[in-house]
Amino acid sequence: MQASERISGILGGGSDGWGLFNKAREMIAAGTPVVELTIGEHDIRTAAPILQDMHRSALGGHTGYASVPGVPALRAEVARRVQERTGVPTTSENVMITPGGQSALYAAHFAICDPGDRALYLDPFYATYPGTIRGASAEPVCIQTRAQDAFQPRASDIAAHAEGAKSLLVNSPNNPTGVVYSRATLDGIAQVCIDNDLWLISDEVYDTQIWEGEHISPRALPDMAQRTLVVGSMSKSHAMTGSRIGWIVGPVDVVEHLINLATHTTYGVPGFVQDAALFALQQGPGFEEEIAAPFRRRRAIAKDVLAAQNTVALVPAQGAMYLMLDVRSTGMSGEDFADALLDAHHIAVMPGESFGQAAAGHVRVAMTIADDAFEQALKTLCAFAESCAAKT
Ligand code: PMP
């Protein structure tokens, strides 16, 4: 008996990009301390009051099947929040609650792509994107952005692949680059979508982590609300990665289809998790800023460390919990550099090549350890890059 081609082909062959990460894990398991800067997870836990609210809800009996599209109060709160932040009229009917942003990405592609449809996404990309698209039986089509443009996508590059495609997936603030798309970039993207009748799937899970510039949701651009599905999540904004709670915001008719999909797949999100998510959202922007503050601080530390040397260049770190460092002056690939850094100094960073081809010769650093250790690790990384560059 064999599994389906669809599921056995989900990774598309080739490397899954996690080689370095796995090597670091093996070193840790063998007892070697490793400075872990690979994964996008906060170094704080979900705040106790949120967990207390979850506990209160569960003990209060919200342990049965919850409403599949989401409990009404949470849908309404997400709609209110989205409208307040974007100005786009949004009601509960535009919102479906999902078990995290990842399942929202899958559902969004499933909802708008038929088997074999071409679904565009941008390189460098968050690791799951191509597999998510394949999982929804669409054909992933990767479009390179360029280091020389600080990874802001060019509308002309997207347009060159857009004819006959069904959707375009964008992510700002961006994982892995830390870049926030400018208004000009997003205007260009919107125009390509309109000209080519594309759906836009906008992954905005880092929207509370903005260090420079502003977060613009492309759903708010002219004529875009009817062709945009926004993916949101509490994972990054509220340090709730393990609670698996997020949403899709989009046109009412698509949300109705998405609810049918959820009825036949997830059957919704646990009620006590939804109640805790509502409580967390009600803590307001001050709480979200507290969750983002460590990354804001470490990004400032990184700017100082990097300003003191000339070997490693920092891609504009405008948002999200990552830095993308250009190590091309060492003459090494990102993979070789990350591997050598791990061997020499037990510091684990992600090779840019783990996220596609556009960030070759770069490494991604997650700003997810304590400030002092973070500063020290960056200094060591820069000194190591200098010693590698001196050998070329
Ligand atoms: N999109 C991006 C760009 C991400 O980095 C992540 C998680 N790392 C997700 C979506 C999914 O997040 P979650 O499922 O935890 O909401």
Side-chain angles (χ1 to χ4, degrees):
M1 292 298 285
Q2 273 193 338
S4 70
E5 282 179 28
R6 183 177 48 218
I7 202 164
S8 51
I10 210 159
L11 293 179
S15 152
D16 64 1
W18 290 97
L20 188 292
F21 172 84
N22 292 332
K23 179 170 166 177
R25 282 290 141 108
E26 281 164 24
M27 286 170 70
I28 294 167
T32 307
V34 173
V35 180
E36 244 295 2
L37 301 172
T38 55
I39 205 123
E41 178 129 41
H42 315 69
D43 47 330
I44 53 166
R45 300 200 175 152
T46 305
I50 298 176
L51 298 176
Q52 277 151 2
D53 196 75
M54 201 180 287
H55 186 69
R56 179 200 55 75
S57 169
L59 285 179
H62 209 169
T63 52
Y65 291 124
S67 163
V68 171
V71 298
L74 180 61
R75 285 176 92 192
E77 177 62 19
V78 171
R80 191 202 60 73
R81 171 190 174 88
V82 168
Q83 180 166 321
E84 184 181 280
R85 292 167 70 97
T86 63
V88 185
T90 306
T91 71
S92 296
E93 295 187 325
N94 297 113
V95 178
M96 187 179 81
I97 304 302
T98 64
Q102 179 55 48
S103 89
L105 285 166
Y106 177 78
H109 283 95
F110 195 91
I112 60 187
C113 292
D114 282 307
D117 277 349
R118 292 167 66 239
L120 313 181
Y121 67 107
L122 301 169
D123 177 348
F125 51 85
Y126 172 51
T128 68
Y129 281 2
T132 302
I133 292 169
R134 282 187 213 101
S137 298
E139 182 196 337
V141 177
C142 187
I143 300 169
Q144 306 270 313
T145 61
R146 302 161 199 241
Q148 80 216 58
D149 299 338
F151 301 108
Q152 295 272 342
R154 290 187 193 180
S156 55
D157 288 340
I158 301 171
H161 292 85
E163 206 185 315
K166 197 55 145 320
S167 61
L168 168 65
L169 171 58
V170 296
N171 170 225
S172 175
N174 187 266
N175 177 10
T177 62
V179 167
V180 173
Y181 291 176
S182 68
R183 184 171 292 277
T185 295
L186 289 167
D187 280 344
I189 286 171
Q191 199 55 54
V192 176
C193 290
I194 291 166
D195 291 347
N196 294 278
D197 202 18
L198 297 184
W199 279 96
L200 184 63
I201 300 174
S202 180
D203 177 345
E204 302 181 20
V205 304
Y206 293 98
D207 67 345
T208 61
Q209 297 179 1
I210 301 280
W211 326 129
E212 216 176 275
E214 55 172 334
H215 172 67
I216 300 167
S217 174
R219 180 167 175 263
L221 300 178
D223 299 323
M224 287 304 289
Q226 67 267 29
R227 60 171 70 251
T228 303
L229 297 178
V230 174
V231 169
S233 170
M234 310 275 301
S235 286
K236 313 293 175 176
S237 57
H238 292 77
M240 291 180 71
T241 48
S243 292
R244 313 308 306 134
I245 177 114
W247 53 78
I248 303 184
V249 173
V252 173
D253 54 340
V254 179
V255 170
E256 280 168 6
H257 292 306
L258 284 165
I259 296 167
N260 289 332
L261 176 65
T263 300
H264 295 88
T265 52
T266 61
Y267 215 77
V269 177
F272 49 89
V273 173
Q274 297 196 58
D275 286 347
L278 174 62
F279 172 86
L281 286 176
Q282 286 167 342
Q283 304 313 298
F287 179 75
E288 290 159 30
E289 182 45 43
E290 258 175 58
I291 301 292
F295 307 124
R296 186 186 291 283
R297 271 197 326 266
R298 291 168 197 159
R299 180 244 184 202
I301 292 170
K303 284 193 98 167
D304 288 347
V305 171
L306 285 147
Q309 53 81 60
N310 293 315
T311 310
V312 179
L314 175 62
V315 171
Q318 300 163 321
M321 54 174 80
Y322 312 100
L323 305 172
M324 186 60 95
L325 304 179
D326 183 347
V327 294
R328 286 177 293 178
S329 65
T330 62
M332 299 163 90
S333 68
E335 267 166 2
D336 288 346
F337 180 83
D339 197 53
L341 180 69
L342 183 58
D343 286 342
H345 295 288
H346 302 167
I347 297 174
V349 297
M350 288 296 277
E353 292 85 356
S354 292
F355 309 101
Q357 284 312 305
H362 292 66
V363 293
R364 189 195 74 172
V365 175
M367 299 189 279
T368 48
I369 59 170
D371 298 16
D372 289 354
F374 180 69
E375 180 169 6
Q376 192 47 55
L378 273 187
K379 284 183 175 162
T380 305
L381 183 154
C382 289
F384 181 68
E386 268 169 51
S387 69
C388 294
K391 286 187 211 142
T392 57

